């Protein structure tokens, strides 16, 4: 009774920080979009009550991994007598603002519900997801969605179709904590309405850039270089460090990717991804 799932990355097409909440988190308004880049997860049922992560990234094979934490939680909450081996083929860069860990956690909820025969309904999955991170709830649904509060309160919205998206990562991790500690609250940016109406990437925006760029000037350097290579807009994804370039032509996008690859940066060309309804 094994199970294989693709664990898709996301980009934040829009991210504004509205206020600081009493619990220490920040109130945000964001537009999430799933993209085609993904990790692969395989779940193997075992008779021993052990939880084991086997990844191509050695540093992920431990109990700090969200997959492990969710498996341990489910095992205890629902008195599961079986165990699991999870094979994780990691393609999404770590701590890159692409939601790889949160996506893996959402897949863990789905995969473990299946192989342990927990039959978790949608409401229960979302309740559990919200305990482990702000973005996991989005990955339970996928597609495009508006995220409010910490990002865990979701509103479905129409698909925003954008092609010729170039992701470039400078091979440095940036933690969400660092990004949100550096942000300075100001007047809200309301151009998210225009983005929803038009699907024009010129309206894409990320408030967190302002605080991150003084700490990591490489982000601005990547943005400047993308513009010189004909990007029509550039933003940082989520809390970084991946920079997104939007291009109006596939050849321009490919030319830009070649330039960054020659400089030794990780890069990937993608599109936004439609929601797969259950």
């Amino acid at each position: 009774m094994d199970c294989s799932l693709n664990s898709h990355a996301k980009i934040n097409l829009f991210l504004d920080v509205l206020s600081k909440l009493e619990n220490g988190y920040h109130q945000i308004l964001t537009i999430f979009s799933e993209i085609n880049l993904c990790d692969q997860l395989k779940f193997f049922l075992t008779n021993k009550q052990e939880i084991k992560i086997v990844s191509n990234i050695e540093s992920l094979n431990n109990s700090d991994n969200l997959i492990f934490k969710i498996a341990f939680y489910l095992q205890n909450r629902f008195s599961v007598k079986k165990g699991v081996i999870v094979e994780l083929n990691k393609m999404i860069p770590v701590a890159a603002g692409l939601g790889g860990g949160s996506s893996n956690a959402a897949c863990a909820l789905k995969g473990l519900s299946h192989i342990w025969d927990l039959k978790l309904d949608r409401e229960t999955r979302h309740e559990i997801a919200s305990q482990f991170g702000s973005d996991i709830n989005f990955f339970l649904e996928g597609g495009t969605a508006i995220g409010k509060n910490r990002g865990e309160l979701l509103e479905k919205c129409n698909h925003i179709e954008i092609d010729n998206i170039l992701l470039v990562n400078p091979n440095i991790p940036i933690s969400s904590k660092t990004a949100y500690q550096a942000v300075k609250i100001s007047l809200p940016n309301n151009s998210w309405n225009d983005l929803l109406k038009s699907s024009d990437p010129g309206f894409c925006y990320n408030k967190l850039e302002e605080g991150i760029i003084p700490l990591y000037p490489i982000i601005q350097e990547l943005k400047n270089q993308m513009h010189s290579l004909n990007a029509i807009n550039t933003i940082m994804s989520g809390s970084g460090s991946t920079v997104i370039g939007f291009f109006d032509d596939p050849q321009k996008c490919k030319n830009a990717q070649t330039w960054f690859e020659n400089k030794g940066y990780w890069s990937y060309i993608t599109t936004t991804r439609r929601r797969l309804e259950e």
Side-chain angles (χ1 to χ4, degrees):
M1 191 176 173
D2 304 331
C3 176
S4 297
L5 293 171
N6 286 333
S7 178
H8 286 270
K10 60 83 182 165
I11 54 176
N12 296 75
L13 295 173
F14 188 94
L15 198 167
D16 199 8
V17 183
L18 305 179
S19 67
K20 191 165 185 178
L21 300 169
E22 290 182 0
N23 58 12
Y25 289 95
H26 287 79
Q27 180 188 14
I28 67 170
L29 188 148
T30 190
I31 299 176
F32 295 110
S33 179
E34 212 174 13
I35 57 174
N36 293 323
L37 173 65
C38 63
D39 298 334
Q40 290 85 41
L41 278 78
K42 293 183 179 180
F43 300 84
F44 300 93
L45 185 67
T46 64
N47 289 321
K48 293 183 179 179
Q49 258 186 309
E50 67 172 349
I51 300 162
K52 188 175 182 180
I53 314 293
V54 181
S55 174
N56 59 321
I57 306 295
E58 182 65 31
S59 61
L60 300 179
N61 298 334
N62 56 61
S63 59
D64 289 329
N65 192 314
L66 274 174
I67 298 169
F68 185 98
K69 291 180 178 180
I70 284 178
F72 184 79
Y73 175 87
L74 293 176
Q75 204 176 50
N76 283 273
R77 174 168 168 174
F78 298 102
S79 302
V80 177
K81 303 304 180 186
K82 301 284 188 178
V84 66
I85 297 172
V86 183
E87 289 186 1
L88 169 61
N89 183 25
K90 195 75 180 161
M91 305 299 290
I92 305 169
V94 177
L98 298 173
S102 296
S103 178
N104 293 169
C107 277
L109 273 169
K110 295 175 182 178
L112 293 169
S113 176
H114 175 71
I115 68 163
W116 283 344
D117 197 28
L118 301 178
K119 297 181 174 65
L120 300 179
D121 60 25
R122 179 172 288 181
E123 183 179 353
T124 304
R125 289 183 190 180
H126 277 284
E127 175 258 311
I128 295 169
S130 65
Q131 298 180 47
F132 288 91
S134 301
D135 293 351
I136 303 173
N137 297 81
F138 164 71
F139 287 106
L140 291 173
E141 304 295 333
T144 307
I146 301 170
K148 296 183 177 180
N149 198 45
R150 294 185 293 116
E152 86 286 7
L153 300 181
L154 300 172
E155 293 180 11
K156 287 186 179 180
C157 59
N158 292 334
H159 174 63
I160 298 175
E161 187 165 354
I162 304 177
D163 300 320
N164 307 315
I165 300 170
L166 176 62
L167 310 178
V168 176
N169 188 275
N171 305 314
I172 56 170
I174 298 177
S175 71
S176 296
K177 183 178 180 181
T178 298
Y180 281 96
Q181 282 180 339
V183 74
K184 294 179 181 176
I185 311 291
S186 58
L187 292 174
N189 181 329
N190 292 318
S191 63
W192 60 277
N193 281 303
D194 299 304
L195 176 59
L196 289 175
K197 292 174 185 175
S198 68
S199 295
D200 181 350
F203 292 113
C204 292
Y205 168 80
N206 187 347
K207 174 67 175 177
L208 293 177
E209 285 181 13
E210 297 172 13
I212 282 293
I213 285 172
L215 300 175
Y216 298 92
I218 185 65
I219 303 299
Q220 187 64 58
E221 292 172 24
L222 294 180
K223 284 167 61 69
N224 291 344
Q225 189 59 53
M226 282 190 178
H227 280 290
S228 73
L229 292 166
N230 300 304
I232 57 177
N233 192 15
T234 65
I235 60 170
M236 187 175 73
S237 183
S239 57
S241 58
T242 300
V243 174
I244 307 167
F246 300 98
F247 293 80
D248 60 6
D249 176 84
Q251 190 57 54
K252 291 176 184 176
C253 190
K254 182 60 182 173
N255 290 344
Q257 182 188 37
T258 299
W259 190 93
F260 284 108
E261 283 184 344
N262 289 338
K263 294 293 182 181
Y265 293 113
W266 177 92
S267 66
Y268 191 84
I269 293 175
T270 189
T271 66
T272 54
R273 184 171 183 267
R274 289 186 179 274
R275 180 182 299 108
L276 299 178
E277 297 292 352
E278 293 185 354

